[in-house]
């Protein structure tokens, strides 16, 4: 919110001082690059969901042979330090954001509309862990390789300043990994379409989502402009993160007690992160 407040104040100042006989406008093709920071919200509500009877519906309670909830020790929004929940978890990781874009704008008076293609890398790593009473941990990790966005944008500008909003679909390439201290069961991905990495415990998956945000662009030197932008990204890889736990554990094992085929695990939340970017563009 502070970013938009600053952008609005700057726009008022520049619009108020701008010449009415401006020779340049925002119509045309442009290319640019950006660098900034990506970050995630602190979310203590992240969990892992279970499908114990393999009916395709998640939300089951996994129970052991005595009827007790096998996951009463709970969940954490991080990577497990050890097999017991009391050991805690490491935090998610935020980092640098950088990328490039190409776009086209059209100006109608003060109104500017356009479209752009944006490819970026946001260095954020997200974890969630479930702890069973065995004790054992079950951790899901995901990291963005890159995100390609096809976004529209609309705003208001004069010869020097453009204030805009932007949004549209996004396609993300995500590295994901599952780790566990459980050595009794076997674990396999439930998504047959994942691309296996060299490491048997990891996979890469392309998933769809959306991006939305806004920014302020200021022209200088004729064809060059500087941009400050906030962008929210949401990618839904919940199904693609799925893991099935199976035998060869005894038939009384909690994960094969309801269905001998096993129990499916998946993350409960989408991959959502934010970025603040500062960019440089050239207009043709």
């Amino acid at each position: 919110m502070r970013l938009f407040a600053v952008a609005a104040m700057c726009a008022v100042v520049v619009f108020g001082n701008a010449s009415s006989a401006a020779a340049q406008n925002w119509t045309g093709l442009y290319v640019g690059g950006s660098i900034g920071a990506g970050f995630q919200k602190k979310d203590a509500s992240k969990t892992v969901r279970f499908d114990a009877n393999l009916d395709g519906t998640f939300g089951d309670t996994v129970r052991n042979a005595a009827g007790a909830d096998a996951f009463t020790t709970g969940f954490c929004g991080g990577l497990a330090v050890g097999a017991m929940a009391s050991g805690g978890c490491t935090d998610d990781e935020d980092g640098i954001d950088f990328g490039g874009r190409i776009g086209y704008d059209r100006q109608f008076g003060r109104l500017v509309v356009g479209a752009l293609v944006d490819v970026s890398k946001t260095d954020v790593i997200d974890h969630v862990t479930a702890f069973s009473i065995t004790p054992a941990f079950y951790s899901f990790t995901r990291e963005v390789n890159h995100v390609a966005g096809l976004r529209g944008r609309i705003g208001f500008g004069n010869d020097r300043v453009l204030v805009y909003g932007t949004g549209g679909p996004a396609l993300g390439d995500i590295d994901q990994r599952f780790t566990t201290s459980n050595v009794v069961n076997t674990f396999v991905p439930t998504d047959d379409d994942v691309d296996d990495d060299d490491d048997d415990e990891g996979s890469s998956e392309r998933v769809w989502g959306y991006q939305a945000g806004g920014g302020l662009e200021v022209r200088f030197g004729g064809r060059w402009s500087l941009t400050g932008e906030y962008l929210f990204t949401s990618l839904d890889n919940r199904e693609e993160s799925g893991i099935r736990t199976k035998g060869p554990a005894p038939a009384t094992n909690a994960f094969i007690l309801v269905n001998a085929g096993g129990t499916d695990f998946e993350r409960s939340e989408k991959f959502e992160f934010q970025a603040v970017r500062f960019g440089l563009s050239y207009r043709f």
Side-chain angles (χ1 to χ4, degrees):
M1 295 300 294
R2 290 181 180 178
L3 178 64
F4 290 114
V6 172
M9 292 175 62
C10 292
V12 169
V13 172
V14 177
F15 282 150
N17 296 330
S19 169
S20 60
Q24 55 188 13
N25 61 35
W26 297 93
T27 297
L29 181 72
Y30 64 91
V31 295
S34 65
I35 189 166
F39 54 96
Q40 306 166 76
K41 66 178 181 179
K42 302 298 181 184
D43 192 353
S45 65
K46 290 191 294 186
T47 62
V48 175
R49 303 188 300 180
F50 306 99
D51 176 12
N53 56 11
L54 301 184
D55 66 351
T57 301
F58 287 83
D60 297 339
T61 299
V62 178
R63 300 189 181 277
N64 60 20
D69 184 346
F71 286 90
T72 54
T73 43
F75 310 89
C76 76
L79 183 65
V81 174
M84 300 181 67
S86 59
C89 293
T90 62
D91 292 334
D92 292 339
E93 300 176 36
D94 300 331
I96 192 171
D97 174 280
F98 59 93
R101 65 182 61 184
I102 182 171
Y104 182 86
D105 290 323
R106 183 87 175 182
Q107 184 165 355
F108 303 91
R110 288 275 179 99
L111 178 67
V112 179
V113 296
L116 63 96
V117 176
D118 177 292
V119 179
S120 62
K121 163 71 173 177
T122 306
D123 193 13
V124 294
I125 303 176
D126 177 63
H127 311 281
V128 64
T129 296
F131 290 99
S132 67
I133 59 178
T134 313
F137 74 81
Y138 308 83
S139 293
F140 292 82
T141 298
R142 56 191 176 187
E143 179 178 7
V144 177
N145 283 325
H146 61 264
V147 179
L150 175 60
R151 302 197 304 274
R153 74 172 188 169
I154 183 169
F156 292 92
N158 60 18
D159 62 313
R160 294 178 56 195
V161 174
L162 172 66
V163 179
Y164 65 89
T166 182
L171 178 64
D173 185 78
I174 298 175
D175 277 346
Q176 49 197 24
R177 183 181 305 274
F178 173 80
T179 55
T180 179
S181 60
N182 181 329
V183 295
V184 176
N185 299 87
T186 56
F187 299 85
V188 297
T190 58
D191 187 352
D192 294 333
D193 296 328
V194 297
D195 299 324
D196 292 335
D197 293 335
D198 293 335
D199 189 331
D200 292 337
E201 296 178 347
S203 63
S204 178
E205 182 73 15
R206 293 179 180 87
V207 295
W208 285 97
Y210 70 90
Q211 294 179 311
L216 174 71
E217 189 168 356
V218 180
R219 297 187 69 156
F220 70 96
R223 296 184 179 273
W224 294 93
S225 63
L226 291 172
T227 304
E229 182 178 82
Y230 165 84
L231 195 66
F232 173 82
T233 301
S234 176
L235 301 172
D236 192 354
N237 79 316
R238 289 174 294 182
E239 292 185 4
E240 287 77 7
S241 71
I243 293 291
R244 178 166 298 178
T245 175
K246 305 189 295 184
T252 55
N253 181 269
F255 296 127
I256 56 175
L257 191 61
V258 175
N259 189 319
T263 295
D264 284 352
F265 296 24
E266 74 171 21
R267 308 182 63 119
S268 64
E269 74 295 332
K270 300 177 181 179
F271 196 0
E272 296 181 337
F273 51 92
Q274 305 168 73
V276 174
R277 301 170 170 178
F278 301 94
L280 178 67
S281 297
Y282 180 83
R283 291 185 172 269
F284 296 94

